[in-house]
Amino acid sequence: MSALIKSLEAKRVVPLVQSDDQKTALKISEALLAGGLDVLEVVLRTDAALDCLEAIAKEFPHAHVGAGTVLSAEQSQEVIRRGATFIVSPGFDPASIKVAQSADVPILPGIATPSEALLARNMGLGLVKLFPASVVGGPKMLKALSAVYRDMRFMPTGGVSPANLQEYLAVPAVIACGGSWLTPASAIEAGDFAAITKLAKDAIAIANA
Ligand code: 3PG
């Protein structure tokens, strides 16, 4: 966990990688790494996602290659087998959390309420994803949650963009923000991977400003 925490603290942005084929997924990942980001969340939203995850984890062993949109204990097990070094879920599923914890793989469940945050905390989790962040209250919600859960940290995702990234990162309990804005489908379809590298660099510049 501590290596992942260190990278999250340093880079402060977690891009989503979504692709229909491994070759493209590797190019997207390469572009993000070239831009300086080394925590990648490969989302299970295409038929090829597990193969993409495995290929990226093999090709870039020094990056933190996690699986996102993990919805069940079975998927948790499978992504660990495919090489995921962390797991992200849109919601709070105790069975998925238990699988990850028994394999000693960090998991960030999605939470959207104080009750879910408390359930996560009381399962021993100090870091959760706030999702969908912009819908459930954004930075104000994060300030409210962190005022009571003083030992918890958050990765808001959902509606984060270059326009509001700084506002989210200014909340002390926010370790990093996740988002799909770094890997736009239009750039991927056009084969413009340089654009993805630029988005990654721009995000790091915003985070450090
Ligand atoms: C996620 O899976 O975390 C979200 O779909 C990302 O939300 P975004 O597309 O608004 O960044």
Side-chain angles (χ1 to χ4, degrees), residues 16 41 43 45 68-69 88-90 129 131-132 134 155 157-161 178-181:
L16 303 195
E41 179 183 330
V43 291
R45 293 188 211 166
T69 322
V88 184
S89 174
K129 162 174 163 164
F131 180 77
S134 63
M155 180 174 85
T157 307
V160 181
S161 70
S180 64
W181 86 89

Side-chain angles (χ1 to χ4, degrees), residues 135-162:
V135 179
V136 300
K140 272 190 186 160
M141 174 67 157
L142 289 156
K143 280 178 204 161
L145 288 171
S146 57
V148 287
Y149 304 126
R150 301 170 62 87
D151 50 1
M152 289 190 81
R153 300 175 90 181
F154 301 87
M155 180 174 85
T157 307
V160 181
S161 70

